Amino acid sequence: MTELNIVYGSLESLLPEVRAYVTSKANLCRPDRVHICDGSPAEFKLLIDAMERTRTIKKLDADRFENCWLVDTDVRDIARVESKTFICTKNVDDTVSETKYGALSKLGNWMSVESMDFLLTRKRFPNSMAGRTMYVIPFSMGPVGSPLSKIGIQLTDSAYVVTCTRIMTRVGKPVLDYLQSHPDTKFIRCLHSVGRSIGMMMSWPCDPDNTVIAHFPERNEICSYGSGYGGNSLLGKKCFALRIASTLARDEGWLAEHMLILGITNPEGKKKFIAAAFPSACGKTNLAMLQPTIPGWKVECVGDDIAWMRYDDEGNLRGINPEAGFFGVAPGTSMKTNPYCMKSLHKDTVFTNVAYTSDGGVYWEGMDEEVDLDSVHVTSWDGRHWTPESSFTAAHKNSRFCTPANHLETIDPAWEDPKGVPIAAILFGGRRPDTVPLVFESFDWTHGVFVGSSMRSMTTAASLEGVVKRVQHDPFAMRPFFGYNFGHYVQHWLDVGKKPNAKLPKIFHVNWFRTEKVPGAHDHNKRKERYLWPGFGENCRVLEWIFRRTDEEDVAIKSPIGYIPKPDALSLDGLHEPVKVDKLFAVHKDEWMNEVGKIREYFDEQIGSHMPKEIVTELDKLEERVKAM
Ligand code: GTP
Ligand code: SPV
Ligand code: MN
């Protein structure tokens, strides 16, 4: 065992258990230096200096972008890598179902603890931090000290990861102090290394061929090797707050979900909170920050990506946002689509893989009116001169901003309330070009759990594997994020609904992405489709209907798939262009027979006997109703 070279902070500030963790991983990864993070401004300066030395980071024009930075990654390290993300448990059954045909389900990627330990401690991590600094980040998911919060210690050799984690979570001294005064606190061990940088870019070392992201729910540990990007490296986010937390939630009787939380106030001043689960890059951030187009309504943001929800003593399901920042999709974000967000991106923000303008600003697809493309040169995220005529995109499709939540003008006053906010409705949704109407309401909790279980959505660039567009199953928008067997997860949701005296949220499904073919587009290869619904701020019209339904207002009629708005119940006054309501709400028998078939096939192939009977019964009932159409 060698002496650690501590260059910032002191080992003594750490609990003995944390110290032992740091020492053992430092002995494995062999960093040159160890920096124990305190979250201070002085530390921020050191991080920026380190990234400027390696040319990882570029400062944006300080007049317009106060303390804002641009980072471009290696071209192979641009999104989550689902195929290299594993859950490691003693029993296979705890992680994945065996399908009807005896194979392992694709919902969850299992590897044995022994094999993964061997791979990590013998092949990946030895010496992986040589020449670099190991940062020790004590962080809290959720307000420090809240009964709903959890603590993690992340070790990483990436200054970029530290910088983003300082935005995305609560870090440093308050967490260390909390641990000192609560020495029995369980913490999640999070080890991250960008990998041995043989022949790679100095500005963005990574090891894409050998990337592996491993979770050990039985020992509260995460190990991530080879990638510095997003959900692969900011371990508090998907790895901890969803995969590990969903397992803790199962054991402790609560829910950890891929959901935004928003507060919505009607013109009479009545306020409710809504949670919504859409797959990656399907609209959570935009809905959470929505600027309503109908007068008198207000929407405020509690969180944009993850919700931890638990019953209080009165039987209300209360949710917190465990994060402290937004790691949001840049392309498509504009003053038109998401003005509150745009305004908050001018301070303390780190942009990753967006394009750079010659006047020290940023650019991405969809931002056209904000940048005068005639007067600036644009350099694409991968360093090429870009013009609107270019055959490649200026920003990477999964480029992101990382910005503190408390800079958002519409951040909800209760967003850091340690008790959380009471959830009145849960929305599921996805990108469905056909079949699924703009909104429908489930008949009851069990039917709602079925709706979540049978969600499908178009793949997106948020995953390395999602580049080719196709509709895939994505139950609960959690397909890449389940920490345990999906069949058990569904059972857990059913159990949550059976709690005595529970004031259960109503469950809805929304789809902003239904399309129609553009008339006159005859060339099949160039078939153009157009969204039937304007989306963004106009989505408040759907929220209004949902709000009224949570008050049991008589504004719905029964359809074979759920309740839909009565004719004229959806407020359409003031829309810029008329919408084709019939097409938006059409429920076609042939499409739904196909849907039922796809769901049944999926349940059989991916969940098999682990699927709770009640959910299979819901599918049978749906089939009966559709057949009777
Ligand atoms: P993750 O951060 O990956 O979890 O994504 P997200 O679910 O927060 O999605 P986000 O709100 O960032 O939206 C992703 C993309 O969808 C962006 O390009 C948005 O501009 C676009 N989008 C969001 N809402 C709508 C909408 O209502 N209609 C349409 N047409 N596009 C939308
Ligand atoms: C997602 O993919 O759902 C994200 C971005 O929110 S990442 O942090 O990369 O997981
Ligand atoms: Mn997400």
Side-chain angles (χ1 to χ4, degrees):
M1 201 136 99
T2 41
E3 192 70 11
L4 304 187
N5 176 20
I6 312 277
V7 294
Y8 191 93
S10 82
L11 266 188
E12 283 62 50
S13 66
L14 306 175
L15 288 181
E17 215 184 326
V18 180
R19 219 179 295 167
Y21 173 58
V22 173
T23 310
S24 88
K25 295 308 174 195
N27 276 305
L28 175 65
C29 304
R30 302 268 164 184
D32 282 13
R33 298 164 291 274
V34 175
H35 170 133
I36 295 154
C37 297
D38 60 6
S40 68
E43 175 179 281
F44 181 72
K45 173 117 190 18
L46 288 177
L47 293 166
I48 294 293
D49 288 349
M51 287 187 283
E52 285 187 324
R53 272 199 303 279
T54 51
R55 295 173 189 269
T56 306
I57 205 160
K58 207 186 264 161
K59 193 168 176 38
L60 298 180
D61 170 35
D63 289 340
R64 288 179 297 145
F65 294 94
E66 186 188 335
N67 188 34
C68 291
W69 307 85
L70 173 61
V71 175
D72 291 320
T73 71
D74 185 289
V75 295
R76 293 186 302 165
D77 191 19
I78 38 76
R80 284 183 294 99
V81 249
E82 295 176 0
S83 59
K84 296 180 177 187
T85 300
F86 297 89
I87 309 285
C88 306
T89 48
K90 192 155 161 277
N91 301 314
V92 193
D93 236 33
D94 290 337
T95 300
V96 282
S97 310
E98 193 176 298
T99 72
K100 193 173 166 184
Y101 313 105
L104 284 189
S105 162
K106 289 200 190 84
L107 268 176
N109 207 0
W110 179 82
M111 195 190 281
S112 77
V113 173
E114 292 74 21
S115 305
M116 185 56 86
D117 273 339
F118 180 84
L119 180 71
L120 298 178
T121 60
R122 304 287 188 83
K123 304 279 180 200
R124 295 293 185 266
F125 283 106
N127 280 323
S128 68
M129 297 187 182
R132 302 197 197 101
T133 303
M134 174 198 264
Y135 298 92
V136 179
I137 323 173
F139 66 97
S140 175
M141 299 310 289
V144 179
S146 157
L148 289 111
S149 299
K150 303 267 177 204
I151 282 179
I153 305 290
Q154 177 159 350
L155 314 179
T156 177
D157 54 1
S158 161
Y160 166 83
V161 167
V162 183
T163 308
C164 292
T165 301
R166 285 169 51 114
I167 296 172
M168 296 305 297
T169 76
R170 285 105 174 150
V171 302
K173 187 141 186 337
V175 183
L176 289 174
D177 291 347
Y178 179 83
L179 282 175
Q180 289 291 354
S181 55
H182 300 77
D184 294 333
T185 308
K186 265 204 249 147
F187 63 92
I188 310 298
R189 292 161 161 76
C190 309
L191 172 63
H192 169 252
S193 172
V194 293
R196 281 180 298 265
S197 54
I198 309 155
M200 293 180 197
M201 285 163 79
M202 179 168 101
S203 65
W204 192 271
C206 57
D207 194 354
D209 294 333
N210 294 304
T211 295
V212 54
I213 298 131
H215 305 71
F216 302 90
E218 288 148 356
R219 57 184 205 223
N220 287 332
E221 188 171 350
I222 302 158
C223 299
S224 166
Y225 173 92
S227 165
Y229 199 75
N232 301 331
S233 67
L234 310 177
L235 300 187
K237 200 172 176 54
K238 299 300 164 48
C239 300
F240 177 168
L242 288 179
R243 296 193 192 96
I244 295 291
S246 64
T247 314
L248 296 171
R250 172 199 60 191
D251 298 342
E252 299 169 2
W254 51 284
L255 297 168
E257 300 297 332
H258 193 201
M259 291 182 184
L260 68 92
I261 303 176
L262 62 82
I264 176 163
T265 309
N266 74 3
E268 288 73 48
K270 186 168 180 185
K271 183 164 187 177
K272 299 186 186 235
F273 293 93
I274 296 176
F278 310 154
S280 302
C282 291
K284 288 182 301 301
T285 301
N286 279 270
L287 191 68
M289 300 179 186
L290 171 148
Q291 182 172 45
T293 51
I294 38 180
W297 288 78
K298 184 159 82 178
V299 168
E300 289 160 299
C301 173
V302 175
D304 82 323
D305 199 50
I306 298 173
W308 286 358
M309 298 180 291
R310 198 189 281 253
Y311 284 116
D312 64 14
D313 296 340
E314 282 82 53
N316 295 300
L317 192 63
R318 301 188 79 98
I320 63 163
N321 168 14
E323 302 190 278
F326 306 122
F327 188 69
V329 176
T333 311
S334 71
M335 284 307 284
K336 261 202 212 132
T337 58
N338 195 350
Y340 294 129
C341 183
M342 278 306 272
K343 283 189 241 168
S344 74
L345 299 183
H346 290 269
K347 203 179 159 189
D348 302 330
T349 301
V350 178
F351 296 92
T352 305
N353 287 344
V354 304
Y356 181 71
T357 59
S358 50
D359 60 351
V362 286
Y363 177 78
W364 51 75
E365 277 63 26
M367 211 166 91
D368 309 14
E369 274 159 41
E370 277 109 272
V371 171
D372 180 6
L373 291 173
D374 294 330
S375 67
V376 293
H377 290 289
V378 176
T379 307
S380 70
W381 71 281
D382 54 351
R384 295 185 270 175
H385 178 59
W386 180 91
T387 70
E389 284 72 44
S390 295
S391 59
F392 49 92
T393 59
H396 187 274
K397 285 197 170 68
N398 188 40
S399 57
R400 302 251 167 185
F401 50 78
C402 179
T403 193
N406 59 12
H407 288 9
L408 187 76
E409 202 176 312
T410 53
I411 195 76
D412 196 280
W415 86 280
E416 294 195 282
D417 188 336
K419 297 193 305 298
V421 297
I423 304 297
I426 291 174
L427 279 45
F428 295 116
R431 289 177 180 264
R432 293 300 303 267
D434 51 47
T435 314
V436 183
L438 181 64
V439 59
F440 66 90
E441 178 189 331
S442 65
F443 296 122
D444 54 36
W445 182 265
T446 306
H447 179 231
V449 174
F450 164 73
V451 169
S453 306
S454 47
M455 275 167 67
R456 300 168 70 209
S457 187
M458 194 93 92
T459 55
T460 67
S463 150
L464 198 69
E465 295 87 353
V467 182
V468 181
K469 294 271 160 293
R470 64 192 169 85
V471 173
Q472 69 177 345
H473 290 267
D474 195 339
F476 293 82
M478 284 283 282
R479 183 190 48 79
F481 309 122
F482 291 118
Y484 63 100
N485 185 315
F486 173 63
H488 302 164
Y489 169 97
V490 177
Q491 186 59 55
H492 181 54
W493 264 77
L494 291 172
D495 294 345
V496 164
K498 287 174 190 146
K499 188 184 148 75
N501 308 324
K503 293 174 194 139
L504 287 177
K506 275 179 178 284
I507 299 179
F508 298 81
H509 191 286
V510 299
N511 176 25
W512 319 138
F513 300 95
R514 200 167 191 177
T515 59
E516 65 175 350
K517 292 197 188 73
V518 175
H522 294 304
D523 182 347
H524 221 69
N525 296 322
K526 287 188 189 151
R527 203 177 63 184
K528 273 241 151 67
E529 313 235 322
R530 171 166 65 202
Y531 291 124
L532 283 163
W533 180 248
F536 303 105
E538 305 292 10
N539 292 334
C540 70
R541 298 171 189 277
V542 176
L543 295 183
E544 180 199 6
W545 182 75
I546 288 169
F547 189 106
R548 294 169 69 184
R549 286 299 296 158
T550 62
D551 276 340
E552 305 293 343
E553 271 191 57
D554 180 20
V555 286
I557 47 165
K558 206 166 177 174
S559 89
I561 62 165
Y563 296 110
I564 57 172
K566 275 187 175 173
D568 301 329
L570 194 72
S571 149
L572 299 175
D573 290 349
L575 272 174
H576 287 304
E577 280 176 40
V579 294
K580 295 170 182 157
V581 180
D582 290 353
K583 283 192 171 176
L584 267 171
F585 282 100
V587 176
H588 297 298
K589 180 170 182 174
D590 56 337
E591 287 184 336
W592 277 92
M593 281 309 290
N594 178 53
E595 190 76 6
V596 165
K598 287 278 195 289
I599 297 168
R600 198 176 295 283
E601 198 180 296
Y602 189 70
F603 284 3
D604 282 349
E605 283 184 2
Q606 299 300 333
I607 303 114
S609 62
H610 279 103
M611 185 55 111
K613 294 280 170 301
E614 286 157 275
I615 299 301
V616 182
T617 305
E618 285 297 328
L619 177 58
D620 295 341
K621 281 170 22 191
L622 173 66
E623 183 166 24
E624 286 309 308
R625 292 191 304 266
V626 174
K627 271 189 179 155
M629 278 173 81

